Amino acid sequence: MLYNQLKTKISSLVNQSINTEKTLFKICEILRSKISYYDWVGFYFKNGSKQELKLGPYAGLDTEHKIIPFGKGICGQVALTNKNFVVPDVKKQNNYIACNINVKSEIVVPIFVDGKNIGQIDIDSNILNPFSKRDEEFLEYVCAKVATLL
């Protein structure tokens, strides 16, 4: 039920959007406040023609990772593979960039516009292995909605 309510809320936000940055920030805030194990929610986008991601709107603790090269960390890997990446335990991932010592798991889902990976939603959790297939499908929906803004 919660996911369906959130889908409705996000669709409404996107459909009424006047300012993309503010809408993306609101989406981050909503997801972080409504899903208990979403401790950090943010967007990264391809930085022009560079082979790197640039941090966009986010909700949660500040991060020093404002720029992530393609291939580095979970986000950088998703930029290259164009596939969702769920990490149940970040300590078992050798190409992981620690944003916060409390983070135990992460999920990253790409955003496609005209078939091109232009960014992603990144969610960190302070709980081991909380992400399910349902989270993955829900975040794919969120990314599809966000893509209509970009």
Side-chain angles (χ1 to χ4, degrees):
M1 185 67 155
L2 173 64
Y3 291 100
N4 288 336
Q5 290 171 340
L6 289 172
K7 284 180 178 181
T8 301
K9 177 73 173 166
I10 287 165
S11 288
S12 176
L13 271 174
V14 168
N15 292 340
Q16 297 171 20
S17 179
I18 297 169
N19 180 304
T20 300
E21 291 288 312
K22 285 183 182 178
T23 301
L24 293 174
F25 178 69
K26 284 180 188 175
I27 289 170
C28 292
E29 285 186 315
I30 289 167
L31 295 182
R32 185 169 177 258
S33 68
K34 298 295 183 189
I35 300 179
S36 64
Y37 51 93
Y38 285 19
D39 295 297
W40 190 94
V41 178
F43 291 97
Y44 282 93
F45 294 100
K46 188 170 189 293
N47 192 9
S49 61
K50 298 176 184 175
Q51 293 294 296
E52 65 185 24
L53 297 165
K54 184 175 181 181
L55 181 61
Y58 67 94
L61 294 176
D62 196 23
T63 179
E64 62 187 49
H65 303 288
K66 310 261 190 262
I67 301 288
I68 299 176
F70 282 14
K72 188 166 171 73
I74 308 308
C75 292
Q77 290 176 75
V78 169
L80 292 176
T81 65
N82 301 321
K83 294 181 181 174
N84 300 350
F85 200 154
V86 180
V87 181
D89 183 351
V90 296
K91 288 183 180 175
K92 294 181 179 176
Q93 190 66 34
N94 60 0
N95 188 7
Y96 170 71
I97 302 171
C99 292
N100 172 326
I101 61 168
N102 298 317
V103 175
K104 294 193 173 36
S105 55
E106 182 173 11
I107 184 170
V108 179
V109 176
I111 302 167
F112 296 98
V113 174
D114 297 328
K116 292 184 181 176
N117 181 347
I118 56 91
Q120 53 205 223
I121 191 167
D122 177 20
I123 299 179
D124 294 338
S125 180
N126 298 341
I127 297 171
L128 274 174
N129 198 21
F131 303 115
S132 67
K133 189 68 177 161
R134 200 159 174 204
D135 289 291
E136 206 170 341
E137 291 167 354
F138 169 67
L139 293 172
E140 288 171 352
Y141 174 88
V142 171
C143 288
K145 285 293 177 189
V146 165
T148 66
L149 290 172
L150 307 172

